[in-house]
Amino acid sequence: MSDDILISADRLTVGYPLGGSILRKSVLKAVNEVSVHIERGSFFGLVGESGSGKTTLGRALLKAAPITGGSATYRDDEVQYDLATLDGAALKDYRKRAQLIFQDPYAALSPRMTVRDIIAEPLEVMGLTASRQETDERVREIAARCRLNLEHLRRFPHAFSGGQRQRISIARALVSGPKFVVADESVAALDVSIQADVLNLLKELQSELGLTFMFISHDLSVVAHTCDHVAVMYLGRLVETAPTRKLFAMPRHPYTRALFSAIPSLDPDDRGTAQKLEGEIPSPLNQPPGCKFHTRCPNAIDRCKSEEPQLKDPGDGHEVACHRWRELLEAVPA
């Protein structure tokens, strides 16, 4: 693995066994043979419809969901961990290096704890500070970085707006000094103006603290503004991944183009040409053969229905899993 890669997954699979007969037990594969490589200091975006496996992939890289196949590796300047087999003291150490920012700032904070206690809890649980004074100093430091006043530390969560609560959640996630942070729809529940404020805060913290983010989102405009590299996920698999500018300039997979065509325009005279996807995303328990997207793809041919395309890089750093992407790209009007 390159020294620039902080966290890497190779054909990572997350499966959940379900009920069935003794001879035939079914397995729900929420993530199916996904390979990703996240560079240090990057803002890696992950997009896709609900149910595509984005959150499960993020949880697996945090060692919060079972890795049932493939491998995942974390490596910084101090340690290297195989996430599939991580446990015991090594897992406890990894917890301070990899943290999660939750989606809902209203449900993520205990209403019975003060802001100070909420932010301090990871330090106390992990035993990262030797005294209350040291804990308070660290809490005040990270609170200031997250634009929280000292007087806020004495209050309870109900006294704050959604944006302020999310800044509290961010402070709690960063107080242990992590290097890798998964932000799971962390601005989806906020007003648009507050979203911009929180996103700018995350970018500032990334630069100041040298953080590496996996940013999970449905909002493609937010991803375009924030992320350096974007991966598109469908039914537990990656279908396309590329640097953000390259992906938004010329998406190659039909699914990605359908997602991008649905981005609303600020021009009131622009009627748009949104591509409607027929049907629902298939069940992970009953996945179609061949390309998983062929049941909804207007460009599917017989080969798509029988042979599953692999995610490949043609040599320009823009990976795509589609049999017909070249000819479809040539057909796009200039």
Side-chain angles (χ1 to χ4, degrees):
M1 184 170 66
S2 169
D3 290 340
D4 293 332
I5 303 298
L6 179 71
I7 197 158
S8 178
D10 183 26
R11 301 177 70 85
L12 185 148
T13 297
V14 177
Y16 296 97
L18 303 177
S21 66
I22 297 177
L23 297 179
R24 186 179 180 182
K25 289 187 177 294
S26 56
V27 176
L28 188 154
K29 291 186 177 180
V31 175
N32 197 355
E33 297 187 353
V34 166
S35 297
V36 294
H37 307 283
I38 303 176
E39 294 186 357
R40 300 185 187 195
S42 68
F43 222 106
F44 186 93
L46 188 62
V47 301
E49 293 174 284
S50 296
S52 59
K54 306 185 301 300
T55 294
T56 305
L57 176 58
R59 287 170 56 83
L61 295 180
L62 291 173
K63 190 58 178 177
I67 297 175
T68 55
S71 63
T73 303
Y74 169 92
R75 183 172 71 179
D76 60 26
D77 295 329
E78 300 172 350
V79 299
Q80 177 172 330
Y81 289 133
D82 178 358
L83 301 184
T85 60
L86 195 61
D87 60 8
L91 177 58
K92 183 178 180 180
D93 178 68
Y94 183 62
R95 287 282 178 253
K96 71 179 182 182
R97 300 174 187 271
Q99 282 289 321
L100 172 67
I101 301 172
F102 293 95
Q103 174 179 349
D104 187 352
Y106 292 89
L109 306 178
S110 171
R112 300 184 179 184
M113 298 174 68
T114 63
V115 172
R116 181 267 174 200
D117 291 340
I118 289 172
I119 299 175
E121 187 175 24
L123 298 176
E124 295 167 348
V125 170
M126 299 179 190
L128 299 180
T129 51
S131 65
R132 183 180 178 87
Q133 180 181 356
E134 185 179 348
T135 299
D136 287 340
E137 289 176 358
R138 177 59 181 159
V139 168
R140 288 194 292 267
E141 176 190 351
I142 200 65
R145 285 186 180 273
C146 294
R147 304 175 190 167
L148 296 168
N149 299 328
L150 289 180
E151 63 182 58
H152 291 162
L153 299 178
R154 296 191 294 270
R155 300 180 184 176
F156 290 85
H158 72 268
F160 297 92
S161 66
Q164 290 173 319
R165 291 186 189 205
Q166 195 60 294
R167 291 200 293 273
I168 296 169
S169 294
I170 293 170
R172 178 178 59 185
L174 301 186
V175 74
S176 64
K179 299 180 185 299
F180 177 58
V181 179
V182 174
D184 187 4
E185 299 279 5
S186 55
V187 297
L190 306 178
D191 293 338
V192 174
S193 59
I194 305 302
Q195 284 186 11
D197 181 62
V198 172
L199 289 172
N200 290 334
L201 173 62
L202 292 178
K203 293 294 286 185
E204 289 176 13
L205 292 169
Q206 177 199 20
S207 176
E208 294 173 3
L209 303 177
L211 301 173
T212 302
F213 277 93
M214 170 180 273
F215 188 78
I216 300 170
S217 180
H218 288 93
D219 193 332
L220 293 170
S221 59
V222 168
V223 170
H225 170 74
T226 309
C227 298
D228 312 311
H229 199 98
V230 181
V232 183
M233 201 164 185
Y234 182 80
L235 201 60
R237 291 180 179 269
L238 293 188
V239 297
E240 189 167 3
T241 176
T244 304
R245 289 183 179 274
K246 185 175 292 187
L247 186 71
F248 276 74
M250 190 59 69
R252 293 175 176 175
H253 198 281
Y255 177 63
T256 309
R257 291 205 295 273
L259 292 179
F260 284 11
S261 72
I263 300 176
S265 172
L266 295 177
D267 184 356
D269 297 323
D270 183 7
R271 299 288 181 176
T273 55
Q275 177 185 334
K276 183 179 180 181
L277 290 177
E278 301 291 343
E280 299 291 334
I281 185 171
S283 168
L285 280 175
N286 188 27
Q287 298 189 16
C291 175
K292 307 308 177 188
F293 185 59
H294 86 259
T295 58
R296 305 171 70 194
C297 180
N299 305 299
I301 58 177
D302 289 341
R303 182 187 180 190
C304 302
K305 299 175 183 179
S306 60
E307 181 183 341
E308 184 169 8
Q310 300 301 309
L311 190 69
K312 294 182 179 179
D313 180 357
D316 58 358
H318 189 152
E319 297 179 291
V320 61
C322 178
H323 295 306
R324 304 188 63 200
W325 73 266
R326 291 184 187 276
E327 59 181 287
L328 294 176
L329 198 60
E330 293 171 357
V332 174

